[in-house]
Amino acid sequence: MILINYSIEFQTPFRVGTGMGQAGFIDNTTIRNRDGLAYIPGSTIKGRARAAALKLAPSFDISTHSTTSDQTGCLVTQPDGPCAICRIFGAPQWPGMLSFEKADLHGEISNILKTLDLHETPIKTHAQNYGRLLRTGIGIDRKLRVVVPDRLFTNECVGTKIPFTGRIIGEFPSSSPIELDLALLLAALKSISHLGGGRGRGLGRCEFTFIKIQVDGKEKSLDQLISSLAGGGLK
């Protein structure tokens, strides 16, 4: 059984958009839970980690399927089973063994905001307005390097120094090199420098920190696991 508890601390405001606007005032709102609090979907974290792992794998001589010829993942008929990327993240032909849960605002702050809203009637605004930022931008024609007419837009962002916390749980097949796969996943998460949209506009700079790493109930050290990849610790 694999258990990873982690926190994400943002150095700049971030935006994980819904793709939907709000009353003609905001063009793209931030994704929120039923209490109005912003969160980071597990699919966002999984997608960024998978992309990072694909880039890191060749550096550690870890073979993966060809993303050019086999874009959907390893073939079922592959004699040695799925590659490290498909084992960790799954593919259409291979079930994902790990569950990437959403990352929520740190529990203590979340509880305070929900308590404030509980006693506020009829409009509850504390959770929804916490860290809320509106950023206005303009469309740019990259080719001509000029402003695109009628392309003024406003995005909702979140700015907070309070970390978000989440977890990854599940298990790898018994036949897989568990510690090597886990080390690649942790290295990928650690290498993520941005989450969400607007990276080119300075949004979403972040850092992952691991609170707990367990394999079958036994605590594991990040440095020890990473050393199995590179022969040295990752600070």
Side-chain angles (χ1 to χ4, degrees), residues 60-220:
F60 301 119
D61 293 325
I62 297 175
S63 61
T64 64
H65 66 271
S66 169
T67 55
T68 303
S69 58
D70 304 318
Q71 296 183 17
T72 59
C74 295
L75 299 176
V76 176
T77 55
Q78 188 164 316
D80 298 326
C83 70
I85 299 300
C86 292
R87 285 196 302 267
I88 297 170
F89 301 100
Q93 301 90 342
W94 305 96
M97 305 303 292
L98 299 179
S99 174
F100 289 70
E101 298 182 357
K102 63 183 173 67
D104 290 306
L105 189 66
H106 191 280
E108 292 182 10
I109 298 299
S110 175
N111 289 336
I112 290 172
L113 293 170
K114 286 189 286 188
T115 300
L116 288 171
D117 277 348
L118 187 65
H119 298 288
E120 182 177 293
T121 55
I123 302 175
K124 305 176 186 300
T125 59
H126 289 93
Q128 187 171 356
N129 286 333
Y130 177 77
R132 191 186 198 201
L133 298 173
L134 299 180
R135 289 178 60 124
T136 300
I138 55 175
I140 301 291
D141 187 318
R142 303 296 178 187
K143 214 170 181 183
L144 300 177
R145 298 185 180 182
V146 296
V147 174
V148 178
D150 301 321
R151 276 295 289 121
L152 182 70
F153 59 88
T154 301
N155 290 323
E156 181 187 17
C157 304
V158 177
T160 176
K161 292 297 183 182
I162 304 300
F164 286 71
T165 58
R167 69 174 186 169
I168 301 168
I169 59 173
E171 52 187 297
F172 293 125
S174 57
S175 58
S176 72
I178 294 175
E179 293 204 352
L180 190 65
D181 287 351
L182 180 58
L184 179 60
L185 171 59
L186 294 172
L189 289 168
K190 195 68 179 174
S191 72
I192 294 173
S193 60
H194 292 79
L195 280 174
R199 180 170 60 177
R201 298 176 182 272
L203 296 177
R205 175 171 284 279
C206 66
E207 182 178 1
F208 276 74
T209 300
F210 301 111
I211 301 168
K212 181 185 292 185
I213 305 167
Q214 285 186 344
V215 178
D216 295 330
K218 296 180 180 179
E219 299 280 344
K220 295 290 182 178

